[in-house]
Amino acid sequence: MHAHQNDHILSFVLNKKTPAIVKAEGVYLYDERGNRIIDASGGAIVCSIGHGVQEIADAVATQMKKVAFVFRRAFHTPELEEAATKICETTNWDMDRVFFVSGGSEATETAVKLARKYHIDNGNPGKFRVISRWQSYHGSTMGAASWSGFTSRRADFTPYLKDFVHLPATFCYRCWYGRSPDSCDLECAAALENEILCLGPETVSAYIAEPVSGHSLAAASPPNEHFTRIREICDKYDVLMILDEVMSGVGRTGKWYAYQHHEVVPDIIVLAKGLSAGYFPVGATAVKAGIHDTIAGKSGVFGSGHTYGGNPLAAAVVCRVIDYLKEHNLIGRCAEMGDYLVEKLETLRSHPTVGDIRGKGLQRGVEFVKDKKTKAPLDPQLHFSQQIQDEALLRGVHIESSSGCDRGQAGDTIIFGPPFIITKDQIDEMIDILDQTISVVEKRVGF
Ligand SMILES: Cc1ncc(COP(=O)(O)O)c(C=O)c1O
Protein backbone atom coordinates (compact mmCIF):
# COMPACT_ATOMS: atom_id res chain seq x y z
CA MET A 1 0.00 0.00 0.00
CA HIS A 2 1.20 3.50 -0.76
CA ALA A 3 2.23 5.16 2.49
CA HIS A 4 0.47 8.49 2.93
CA GLN A 5 2.92 11.31 3.54
CA ASN A 6 1.69 14.42 5.29
CA ASP A 7 3.04 16.61 2.49
CA HIS A 8 0.40 19.34 2.54
CA ILE A 9 -0.63 19.43 6.17
CA LEU A 10 0.91 22.31 8.10
CA SER A 11 1.68 20.56 11.38
CA PHE A 12 2.60 21.59 14.92
CA VAL A 13 6.18 20.42 14.23
CA LEU A 14 6.72 21.31 10.60
CA ASN A 15 9.62 19.08 9.63
CA LYS A 16 8.44 15.91 11.23
CA LYS A 17 6.40 13.19 9.56
CA THR A 18 3.64 11.76 11.72
CA PRO A 19 2.12 8.30 11.08
CA ALA A 20 -1.27 8.12 9.34
CA ILE A 21 -3.88 6.55 11.61
CA VAL A 22 -6.50 4.63 9.67
CA LYS A 23 -8.47 2.92 12.42
CA ALA A 24 -9.12 3.39 16.13
CA GLU A 25 -10.82 1.00 18.52
CA GLY A 26 -10.97 0.89 22.32
CA VAL A 27 -7.57 2.05 23.62
CA TYR A 28 -5.82 1.28 20.34
CA LEU A 29 -4.87 3.26 17.27
CA TYR A 30 -3.82 1.48 14.07
CA ASP A 31 -1.52 3.08 11.52
CA GLU A 32 -1.61 2.38 7.81
CA ARG A 33 1.18 -0.16 8.14
CA GLY A 34 -0.99 -2.15 10.54
CA ASN A 35 0.96 -1.20 13.67
CA ARG A 36 -1.12 -1.21 16.86
CA ILE A 37 -0.50 1.70 19.21
CA ILE A 38 -1.79 2.05 22.80
CA ASP A 39 -3.27 5.56 23.07
CA ALA A 40 -1.77 6.29 26.49
CA SER A 41 -2.62 9.98 26.30
CA GLY A 42 -6.08 9.54 24.76
CA GLY A 43 -5.10 11.97 22.00
CA ALA A 44 -4.48 15.09 24.04
CA ILE A 45 -6.30 13.71 27.12
CA VAL A 46 -9.55 13.70 25.16
CA CYS A 47 -10.70 10.14 24.40
CA SER A 48 -12.35 9.14 27.66
CA ILE A 49 -14.83 6.48 26.54
CA GLY A 50 -12.45 4.87 24.05
CA HIS A 51 -12.32 4.87 20.29
CA GLY A 52 -14.91 3.48 17.89
CA VAL A 53 -18.03 3.48 20.08
CA GLN A 54 -20.92 2.64 17.76
CA GLU A 55 -23.63 4.41 19.81
CA ILE A 56 -21.90 7.75 19.42
CA ALA A 57 -21.42 7.32 15.68
CA ASP A 58 -25.11 6.40 15.41
CA ALA A 59 -26.14 9.46 17.46
CA VAL A 60 -24.30 11.77 15.06
CA ALA A 61 -25.77 10.05 11.98
CA THR A 62 -29.31 10.22 13.42
CA GLN A 63 -28.94 13.88 14.37
CA MET A 64 -27.45 14.74 10.99
CA LYS A 65 -30.52 13.35 9.28
CA LYS A 66 -32.87 15.10 11.73
CA VAL A 67 -31.33 18.62 12.01
CA ALA A 68 -27.67 19.14 11.12
CA PHE A 69 -27.55 22.87 11.81
CA VAL A 70 -29.54 25.82 13.06
CA PHE A 71 -28.18 29.17 14.16
CA ARG A 72 -28.19 29.70 17.92
CA ARG A 73 -29.44 33.30 17.82
CA ALA A 74 -32.72 32.31 16.25
CA PHE A 75 -33.29 28.70 17.34
CA HIS A 76 -32.26 25.95 19.66
CA THR A 77 -32.76 22.21 19.41
CA PRO A 78 -34.16 19.81 22.03
CA GLU A 79 -30.75 18.09 22.00
CA LEU A 80 -29.01 21.33 22.99
CA GLU A 81 -31.32 21.85 25.97
CA GLU A 82 -30.85 18.19 26.88
CA ALA A 83 -27.05 18.54 26.72
CA ALA A 84 -27.12 21.68 28.91
CA THR A 85 -29.39 19.95 31.44
CA LYS A 86 -27.16 16.87 31.58
CA ILE A 87 -24.07 19.01 32.21
CA CYS A 88 -25.82 20.94 35.00
CA GLU A 89 -27.02 17.65 36.54
CA THR A 90 -23.48 16.29 36.63
CA THR A 91 -22.42 19.37 38.63
CA ASN A 92 -25.26 18.60 41.11
CA TRP A 93 -26.73 21.89 39.91
CA ASP A 94 -23.75 23.91 41.15
CA MET A 95 -23.96 25.25 37.58
CA ASP A 96 -27.28 26.22 36.06
CA ARG A 97 -26.66 27.53 32.54
CA VAL A 98 -24.35 26.41 29.75
CA PHE A 99 -22.99 28.33 26.77
CA PHE A 100 -21.77 26.03 23.99
CA VAL A 101 -18.73 26.63 21.79
CA SER A 102 -16.48 24.46 19.64
CA GLY A 103 -13.42 23.87 21.84
CA GLY A 104 -11.48 24.69 24.97
CA SER A 105 -9.85 27.97 23.92
CA GLU A 106 -13.21 29.43 22.92
CA ALA A 107 -14.69 28.19 26.17
CA THR A 108 -12.10 29.97 28.35
CA GLU A 109 -12.58 33.14 26.28
CA THR A 110 -16.31 32.84 26.87
CA ALA A 111 -15.78 32.41 30.60
CA VAL A 112 -13.71 35.58 30.80
CA LYS A 113 -16.25 37.52 28.72
CA LEU A 114 -19.13 36.24 30.85
CA ALA A 115 -17.31 37.34 34.01
CA ARG A 116 -16.84 40.81 32.52
CA LYS A 117 -20.45 40.98 31.41
CA TYR A 118 -21.62 39.92 34.88
CA HIS A 119 -19.66 42.74 36.52
CA ILE A 120 -20.94 45.34 34.06
CA ASP A 121 -24.53 44.27 34.67
CA ASN A 122 -23.90 44.07 38.40
CA GLY A 123 -22.94 47.74 38.48
CA ASN A 124 -19.14 47.29 38.51
CA PRO A 125 -18.03 48.22 34.97
CA GLY A 126 -14.46 48.90 36.14
CA LYS A 127 -13.82 45.21 36.71
CA PHE A 128 -12.02 43.72 33.71
CA ARG A 129 -8.64 42.30 34.76
CA VAL A 130 -7.96 38.57 34.71
CA ILE A 131 -5.43 37.01 37.06
CA SER A 132 -3.95 33.62 36.22
CA ARG A 133 -0.76 31.64 36.85
CA TRP A 134 2.54 30.99 35.15
CA GLN A 135 2.81 27.54 33.64
CA SER A 136 -0.95 27.34 33.18
CA TYR A 137 -2.61 26.57 29.86
CA HIS A 138 -5.99 27.91 28.84
CA GLY A 139 -5.79 27.75 25.05
CA SER A 140 -4.08 29.22 22.03
CA THR A 141 -6.37 31.97 20.76
CA MET A 142 -5.01 35.44 21.56
CA GLY A 143 -7.16 35.98 24.65
CA ALA A 144 -6.68 32.47 26.01
CA ALA A 145 -2.94 32.64 25.33
CA SER A 146 -2.84 35.96 27.21
CA TRP A 147 -4.03 34.43 30.45
CA SER A 148 -2.14 31.18 29.78
CA GLY A 149 1.27 31.01 31.38
CA PHE A 150 2.75 28.30 29.14
CA THR A 151 5.93 30.16 28.24
CA SER A 152 6.85 28.33 25.03
CA ARG A 153 3.34 28.61 23.58
CA ARG A 154 3.25 32.35 24.30
CA ALA A 155 6.77 33.35 23.29
CA ASP A 156 6.39 33.95 19.51
CA PHE A 157 3.06 35.73 19.87
CA THR A 158 3.79 37.98 22.85
CA PRO A 159 3.33 41.21 20.86
CA TYR A 160 -0.30 40.25 20.30
CA LEU A 161 -1.07 39.22 23.86
CA LYS A 162 -2.84 41.28 26.45
CA ASP A 163 -0.68 42.08 29.45
CA PHE A 164 -2.56 40.25 32.20
CA VAL A 165 -1.03 39.30 35.53
CA HIS A 166 0.40 35.83 36.13
CA LEU A 167 0.95 34.62 39.69
CA PRO A 168 3.63 32.06 40.57
CA ALA A 169 2.73 28.55 39.44
CA THR A 170 0.97 26.27 41.92
CA PHE A 171 3.53 23.53 41.66
CA CYS A 172 4.43 21.68 44.86
CA TYR A 173 7.33 19.66 43.35
CA ARG A 174 9.10 22.89 42.37
CA CYS A 175 7.48 25.31 44.78
CA TRP A 176 8.31 28.90 43.84
CA TYR A 177 8.35 29.75 47.54
CA GLY A 178 10.81 26.98 48.39
CA ARG A 179 8.22 25.15 50.52
CA SER A 180 7.11 21.53 50.58
CA PRO A 181 3.46 20.51 51.07
CA ASP A 182 4.05 19.70 54.78
CA SER A 183 5.70 23.07 55.50
CA CYS A 184 3.48 25.30 53.46
CA ASP A 185 1.46 28.37 54.39
CA LEU A 186 -0.28 28.47 51.03
CA GLU A 187 1.78 31.43 49.91
CA CYS A 188 0.68 30.71 46.34
CA ALA A 189 -2.94 31.30 47.35
CA ALA A 190 -2.10 34.40 49.41
CA ALA A 191 -0.36 35.84 46.34
CA LEU A 192 -3.81 36.28 44.78
CA GLU A 193 -4.93 38.65 47.54
CA ASN A 194 -1.74 40.72 47.27
CA GLU A 195 -2.15 40.99 43.52
CA ILE A 196 -5.82 42.00 43.76
CA LEU A 197 -4.93 44.70 46.28
CA CYS A 198 -2.07 46.05 44.17
CA LEU A 199 -4.17 46.15 41.00
CA GLY A 200 -7.15 47.57 42.84
CA PRO A 201 -10.07 45.21 43.60
CA GLU A 202 -12.38 47.49 41.64
CA THR A 203 -10.47 46.52 38.46
CA VAL A 204 -10.25 42.74 38.94
CA SER A 205 -12.91 40.63 37.25
CA ALA A 206 -11.79 37.01 37.46
CA TYR A 207 -9.22 34.49 38.56
CA ILE A 208 -8.71 31.49 36.26
CA ALA A 209 -6.84 28.27 37.04
CA GLU A 210 -6.69 24.58 36.20
CA PRO A 211 -7.55 22.34 39.18
CA VAL A 212 -5.19 19.72 37.68
CA SER A 213 -2.76 21.06 35.12
CA GLY A 214 -2.32 19.77 31.60
CA HIS A 215 0.78 19.61 29.43
CA SER A 216 2.42 22.66 31.02
CA LEU A 217 2.99 21.09 34.46
CA ALA A 218 1.98 17.50 33.64
CA ALA A 219 -0.90 16.92 36.04
CA ALA A 220 0.31 18.99 38.99
CA SER A 221 -2.50 19.75 41.42
CA PRO A 222 -2.42 22.03 44.44
CA PRO A 223 -3.52 20.77 47.87
CA ASN A 224 -7.22 20.99 48.85
CA GLU A 225 -6.78 23.96 51.18
CA HIS A 226 -5.35 25.97 48.29
CA PHE A 227 -8.70 26.29 46.55
CA THR A 228 -10.53 26.92 49.84
CA ARG A 229 -8.28 29.95 50.36
CA ILE A 230 -8.68 31.05 46.72
CA ARG A 231 -12.47 30.87 47.11
CA GLU A 232 -12.33 33.04 50.24
CA ILE A 233 -10.17 35.65 48.52
CA CYS A 234 -12.39 35.72 45.42
CA ASP A 235 -15.49 36.17 47.60
CA LYS A 236 -13.86 38.94 49.63
CA TYR A 237 -13.10 41.05 46.56
CA ASP A 238 -16.02 40.08 44.30
CA VAL A 239 -13.70 38.35 41.85
CA LEU A 240 -15.22 35.44 39.93
CA MET A 241 -13.47 32.09 40.30
CA ILE A 242 -13.16 30.32 36.95
CA LEU A 243 -11.90 26.76 36.99
CA ASP A 244 -10.62 25.53 33.65
CA GLU A 245 -11.74 21.90 33.55
CA VAL A 246 -11.13 21.47 29.83
CA MET A 247 -8.79 18.57 30.59
CA SER A 248 -9.79 17.55 34.11
CA GLY A 249 -13.57 17.73 33.61
CA VAL A 250 -16.18 15.11 32.67
CA GLY A 251 -14.70 12.28 34.70
CA ARG A 252 -10.98 12.43 33.99
CA THR A 253 -9.91 12.73 37.65
CA GLY A 254 -12.30 10.03 38.91
CA LYS A 255 -15.11 12.49 39.72
CA TRP A 256 -17.31 14.33 37.25
CA TYR A 257 -15.28 17.50 37.84
CA ALA A 258 -11.93 18.00 39.56
CA TYR A 259 -13.39 20.79 41.71
CA GLN A 260 -15.54 18.12 43.38
CA HIS A 261 -12.38 16.79 45.07
CA HIS A 262 -12.28 20.11 46.92
CA GLU A 263 -14.84 21.68 49.23
CA VAL A 264 -15.40 24.66 46.98
CA VAL A 265 -17.68 25.53 44.13
CA PRO A 266 -16.31 27.84 41.43
CA ASP A 267 -18.48 30.48 39.77
CA ILE A 268 -17.75 29.27 36.26
CA ILE A 269 -16.36 26.02 34.85
CA VAL A 270 -14.87 25.55 31.42
CA LEU A 271 -15.22 22.26 29.54
CA ALA A 272 -14.16 20.68 26.23
CA LYS A 273 -12.09 17.56 25.43
CA GLY A 274 -13.86 14.80 27.40
CA LEU A 275 -17.23 16.51 26.91
CA SER A 276 -17.42 14.85 23.51
CA ALA A 277 -14.70 12.25 24.22
CA GLY A 278 -13.20 13.26 20.88
CA TYR A 279 -16.26 12.45 18.77
CA PHE A 280 -17.06 16.06 17.86
CA PRO A 281 -15.42 19.47 18.41
CA VAL A 282 -17.29 20.98 21.35
CA GLY A 283 -16.60 23.15 24.36
CA ALA A 284 -18.85 24.65 27.00
CA THR A 285 -18.84 27.33 29.67
CA ALA A 286 -21.14 26.59 32.60
CA VAL A 287 -22.12 29.25 35.12
CA LYS A 288 -23.92 29.49 38.44
CA ALA A 289 -27.53 30.63 38.32
CA GLY A 290 -26.67 34.02 39.89
CA ILE A 291 -24.35 34.99 37.04
CA HIS A 292 -26.95 34.19 34.44
CA ASP A 293 -29.71 35.90 36.38
CA THR A 294 -27.70 39.09 36.85
CA ILE A 295 -27.08 39.41 33.10
CA ALA A 296 -30.64 38.31 32.24
CA GLY A 297 -32.06 40.84 34.69
CA LYS A 298 -30.07 43.82 33.39
CA SER A 299 -28.80 44.02 29.80
CA GLY A 300 -30.21 40.65 28.80
CA VAL A 301 -27.58 40.22 26.10
CA PHE A 302 -24.33 38.29 25.87
CA GLY A 303 -22.99 39.32 22.48
CA SER A 304 -20.41 36.62 21.96
CA GLY A 305 -20.04 33.27 20.22
CA HIS A 306 -19.24 31.74 16.88
CA THR A 307 -21.34 30.33 14.06
CA TYR A 308 -20.93 26.71 15.09
CA GLY A 309 -21.60 27.25 18.79
CA GLY A 310 -24.61 25.26 19.96
CA ASN A 311 -24.25 22.89 17.05
CA PRO A 312 -26.95 20.16 17.18
CA LEU A 313 -24.48 17.45 16.17
CA ALA A 314 -22.18 18.43 19.03
CA ALA A 315 -25.17 18.47 21.38
CA ALA A 316 -26.24 14.97 20.35
CA VAL A 317 -22.70 13.72 21.01
CA VAL A 318 -22.50 15.40 24.44
CA CYS A 319 -25.81 13.77 25.48
CA ARG A 320 -24.75 10.30 24.40
CA VAL A 321 -21.24 10.59 25.90
CA ILE A 322 -22.67 11.57 29.29
CA ASP A 323 -25.19 8.69 29.05
CA TYR A 324 -22.41 6.28 28.10
CA LEU A 325 -20.21 7.34 31.02
CA LYS A 326 -23.13 6.76 33.39
CA GLU A 327 -24.41 3.49 31.88
CA HIS A 328 -20.95 1.90 31.99
CA ASN A 329 -19.94 3.42 35.35
CA LEU A 330 -16.84 4.73 33.63
CA ILE A 331 -16.06 7.46 36.14
CA GLY A 332 -15.80 4.93 38.96
CA ARG A 333 -13.66 2.86 36.65
CA CYS A 334 -11.46 5.87 35.89
CA ALA A 335 -10.79 6.32 39.63
CA GLU A 336 -10.02 2.62 40.02
CA MET A 337 -7.73 2.40 36.99
CA GLY A 338 -6.10 5.68 38.04
CA ASP A 339 -5.08 4.07 41.34
CA TYR A 340 -3.70 1.08 39.48
CA LEU A 341 -1.82 3.29 37.01
CA VAL A 342 -0.11 5.12 39.87
CA GLU A 343 0.86 1.83 41.49
CA LYS A 344 2.54 0.80 38.24
CA LEU A 345 4.08 4.23 37.61
CA GLU A 346 5.69 4.07 41.05
CA THR A 347 7.75 1.10 39.81
CA LEU A 348 9.45 3.48 37.36
CA ARG A 349 11.03 5.38 40.25
CA SER A 350 13.95 2.94 40.08
CA HIS A 351 15.08 4.87 36.99
CA PRO A 352 17.66 7.55 37.80
CA THR A 353 15.69 10.18 35.84
CA VAL A 354 12.17 9.64 37.24
CA GLY A 355 11.84 12.54 39.67
CA ASP A 356 8.11 12.94 40.28
CA ILE A 357 4.82 11.15 39.64
CA ARG A 358 1.68 13.20 40.12
CA GLY A 359 -1.96 13.74 39.19
CA LYS A 360 -5.46 12.51 39.87
CA GLY A 361 -7.55 9.68 38.37
CA LEU A 362 -6.40 8.98 34.83
CA GLN A 363 -4.69 12.36 34.45
CA ARG A 364 -1.18 11.55 35.56
CA GLY A 365 2.23 13.01 34.86
CA VAL A 366 5.85 11.95 35.21
CA GLU A 367 8.68 14.46 35.47
CA PHE A 368 12.21 13.49 34.48
CA VAL A 369 15.22 15.09 36.16
CA LYS A 370 19.00 15.02 35.96
CA ASP A 371 19.36 14.63 39.72
CA LYS A 372 16.57 13.38 41.96
CA LYS A 373 18.02 14.89 45.14
CA THR A 374 18.46 18.42 43.84
CA LYS A 375 15.62 18.14 41.30
CA ALA A 376 18.01 19.67 38.75
CA PRO A 377 16.28 19.48 35.37
CA LEU A 378 17.77 17.74 32.37
CA ASP A 379 19.57 19.81 29.74
CA PRO A 380 16.73 21.13 27.52
CA GLN A 381 18.97 20.51 24.48
CA LEU A 382 18.58 16.77 25.07
CA HIS A 383 14.83 16.98 24.40
CA PHE A 384 14.59 14.07 26.80
CA SER A 385 10.81 13.83 27.03
CA GLN A 386 10.44 14.16 23.25
CA GLN A 387 12.89 11.27 22.90
CA ILE A 388 10.71 9.26 25.29
CA GLN A 389 7.64 10.04 23.17
CA ASP A 390 9.40 9.07 19.92
CA GLU A 391 10.93 5.86 21.31
CA ALA A 392 7.68 4.78 22.99
CA LEU A 393 5.84 5.18 19.69
CA LEU A 394 8.32 2.86 17.98
CA ARG A 395 7.40 0.30 20.65
CA GLY A 396 3.63 0.77 20.31
CA VAL A 397 2.67 3.41 22.90
CA HIS A 398 1.63 6.99 22.20
CA ILE A 399 2.47 9.21 25.16
CA GLU A 400 2.33 13.02 25.01
CA SER A 401 5.52 14.76 26.09
CA SER A 402 6.09 18.33 27.14
CA SER A 403 8.84 20.62 28.37
CA GLY A 404 9.13 23.87 30.31
CA CYS A 405 7.57 23.01 33.66
CA ASP A 406 10.59 24.59 35.38
CA ARG A 407 9.74 28.27 34.88
CA GLY A 408 9.38 27.82 31.15
CA GLN A 409 13.10 27.23 30.70
CA ALA A 410 13.58 23.51 31.33
CA GLY A 411 11.76 20.51 32.76
CA ASP A 412 10.82 17.31 30.91
CA THR A 413 7.46 15.64 31.41
CA ILE A 414 5.06 13.12 29.94
CA ILE A 415 1.33 13.05 30.59
CA PHE A 416 -1.00 10.05 30.72
CA GLY A 417 -4.68 10.26 29.90
CA PRO A 418 -5.78 6.88 28.54
CA PRO A 419 -9.43 6.02 27.90
CA PHE A 420 -11.27 5.05 31.10
CA ILE A 421 -11.97 1.59 29.61
CA ILE A 422 -8.29 0.66 29.80
CA THR A 423 -7.70 -2.69 31.52
CA LYS A 424 -5.05 -3.66 34.07
CA ASP A 425 -3.35 -5.85 31.43
CA GLN A 426 -3.20 -2.92 29.03
CA ILE A 427 -1.74 -0.70 31.78
CA ASP A 428 0.85 -3.41 32.50
CA GLU A 429 1.82 -3.56 28.85
CA MET A 430 1.98 0.23 28.59
CA ILE A 431 4.22 0.54 31.65
CA ASP A 432 6.49 -2.33 30.51
CA ILE A 433 7.03 -0.54 27.22
CA LEU A 434 7.67 2.74 28.98
CA ASP A 435 10.12 1.09 31.33
CA GLN A 436 12.14 -0.23 28.36
CA THR A 437 11.83 3.13 26.61
CA ILE A 438 13.18 5.10 29.57
CA SER A 439 16.14 2.70 29.85
CA VAL A 440 16.98 3.15 26.17
CA VAL A 441 16.80 6.95 26.31
CA GLU A 442 18.68 7.15 29.62
CA LYS A 443 21.49 5.05 28.15
CA ARG A 444 21.57 7.19 25.02
CA VAL A 445 22.01 10.42 26.97
CA GLY A 446 24.67 8.95 29.27
CA PHE A 447 22.97 7.70 32.46
C1 LIG B 1 -6.83 23.22 30.61
C2 LIG B 1 -6.99 23.56 29.16
N1 LIG B 1 -7.67 24.65 28.81
C3 LIG B 1 -7.86 24.99 27.52
C4 LIG B 1 -7.34 24.21 26.50
C5 LIG B 1 -7.57 24.60 25.08
O1 LIG B 1 -8.49 23.74 24.50
P1 LIG B 1 -8.59 23.59 22.91
O2 LIG B 1 -7.28 23.01 22.47
O3 LIG B 1 -9.75 22.67 22.71
O4 LIG B 1 -8.84 24.94 22.35
C6 LIG B 1 -6.63 23.04 26.81
C7 LIG B 1 -6.06 22.21 25.76
O5 LIG B 1 -5.15 21.44 25.93
C8 LIG B 1 -6.44 22.71 28.18
O6 LIG B 1 -5.78 21.61 28.55
Side-chain angles (χ1 to χ4, degrees):
M1 184 172 62
H2 171 67
H4 293 96
Q5 298 296 332
N6 41 343
D7 286 337
H8 301 286
I9 300 170
L10 208 165
S11 308
F12 191 92
V13 181
L14 273 67
N15 296 319
K16 193 166 174 176
K17 299 286 181 199
T18 47
I21 299 301
V22 294
K23 184 177 137 179
E25 208 169 62
V27 300
Y28 297 117
L29 307 173
Y30 297 87
D31 72 13
E32 62 184 337
R33 294 192 170 83
N35 295 313
R36 195 194 73 174
I37 300 159
I38 299 178
D39 195 7
S41 295
I45 331 296
V46 172
C47 307
S48 55
I49 65 171
H51 297 281
V53 176
Q54 187 64 44
E55 286 98 307
I56 312 295
D58 291 345
V60 179
T62 306
Q63 185 62 43
M64 204 172 259
K65 286 182 221 159
K66 229 194 313 180
V67 185
F69 184 78
V70 287
F71 189 41
R72 68 193 168 87
R73 274 185 66 179
F75 303 103
H76 76 276
T77 54
E79 290 75 15
L80 193 66
E81 173 61 14
E82 190 187 340
T85 306
K86 283 181 190 288
I87 291 171
C88 294
E89 268 168 7
T90 57
T91 70
N92 295 322
W93 296 98
D94 290 336
M95 303 296 138
D96 189 68
R97 294 276 173 166
V98 184
F99 190 92
F100 287 94
V101 293
S102 301
S105 306
E106 272 185 59
T108 63
E109 299 239 352
T110 302
V112 165
K113 285 184 172 177
L114 273 167
R116 166 85 181 134
K117 187 68 186 170
Y118 163 81
H119 289 302
I120 294 172
D121 284 350
N122 201 32
N124 295 308
K127 281 181 166 289
F128 72 98
R129 291 187 206 275
V130 180
I131 300 178
S132 61
R133 300 235 169 229
W134 282 114
Q135 268 67 73
S136 62
Y137 186 62
H138 302 293
S140 68
T141 47
M142 300 303 182
S146 296
W147 44 83
S148 290
F150 199 162
T151 311
S152 60
R153 302 231 185 135
R154 289 168 48 93
D156 290 346
F157 309 110
T158 310
Y160 303 119
L161 304 185
K162 195 111 174 102
D163 195 13
F164 286 129
V165 168
H166 296 81
L167 301 177
T170 45
F171 187 18
C172 297
Y173 183 65
R174 295 187 180 282
C175 176
W176 285 30
Y177 299 92
R179 301 296 197 118
S180 64
D182 45 355
S183 73
C184 159
D185 282 331
L186 298 175
E187 285 91 339
C188 56
L192 176 61
E193 182 161 25
N194 293 333
E195 199 61 51
I196 292 172
L197 289 170
C198 288
L199 292 170
E202 68 286 358
T203 70
V204 182
S205 169
Y207 169 72
I208 182 166
E210 296 151 278
V212 184
S213 71
H215 287 69
S216 55
L217 291 178
S221 56
N224 278 0
E225 311 78 55
H226 171 87
F227 284 113
T228 311
R229 188 75 195 100
I230 293 286
R231 180 71 272 180
E232 286 165 6
I233 296 166
C234 286
D235 286 344
K236 188 167 167 189
Y237 298 103
D238 189 21
V239 168
L240 295 190
M241 179 178 176
I242 303 172
L243 287 188
D244 180 347
E245 298 244 18
V246 164
M247 193 178 277
S248 60
V250 201
R252 176 57 62 188
T253 67
K255 290 188 186 277
W256 277 101
Y257 302 101
Y259 81 82
Q260 293 165 339
H261 291 278
H262 306 273
E263 280 165 16
V264 296
V265 177
D267 298 298
I268 302 179
I269 57 170
V270 182
L271 310 173
K273 296 189 185 263
L275 190 57
S276 73
Y279 286 83
F280 208 85
V282 65
T285 308
V287 300
K288 280 179 171 169
I291 294 176
H292 169 266
D293 294 350
T294 300
I295 301 171
K298 188 76 190 288
S299 67
V301 178
F302 178 54
S304 183
H306 300 240
T307 302
Y308 283 115
N311 191 296
L313 302 172
V317 169
V318 169
C319 292
R320 294 292 83 77
V321 165
I322 292 177
D323 291 347
Y324 195 87
L325 286 164
K326 287 183 181 168
E327 284 158 18
H328 297 266
N329 186 26
L330 286 186
I331 297 184
R333 187 185 170 86
C334 171
E336 194 189 326
M337 289 301 119
D339 289 345
Y340 186 70
L341 175 59
V342 165
E343 209 180 300
K344 298 300 290 185
L345 283 174
E346 286 295 333
T347 65
L348 300 178
R349 282 204 195 261
S350 54
H351 285 275
T353 57
V354 173
D356 194 30
I357 292 163
R358 49 189 181 243
K360 280 191 164 68
L362 282 174
Q363 186 176 345
R364 300 278 175 179
V366 173
E367 180 170 344
F368 300 99
V369 291
K370 185 170 146 196
D371 183 322
K372 289 195 204 198
K373 262 211 186 98
T374 63
K375 301 181 185 174
L378 288 145
D379 178 355
Q381 298 304 322
L382 293 174
H383 302 290
F384 189 90
S385 54
Q386 183 62 53
Q387 289 199 53
I388 297 281
Q389 175 172 338
D390 295 345
E391 280 294 326
L393 186 60
L394 294 177
R395 289 168 172 75
V397 169
H398 170 63
I399 183 81
E400 283 282 310
S401 64
S402 190
S403 56
C405 66
D406 189 9
R407 296 161 177 80
Q409 304 301 310
D412 281 273
T413 51
I414 51 174
I415 184 161
F416 291 83
F420 307 166
I421 52 158
I422 195 164
T423 63
K424 287 188 175 178
D425 284 349
Q426 288 164 337
I427 290 177
D428 290 348
E429 186 185 349
M430 180 172 91
I431 298 297
D432 278 352
I433 291 175
L434 211 72
D435 194 8
Q436 296 162 27
T437 303
I438 298 171
S439 297
V440 167
V441 177
E442 281 176 340
K443 195 163 169 215
R444 189 186 295 154
V445 305
F447 274 90

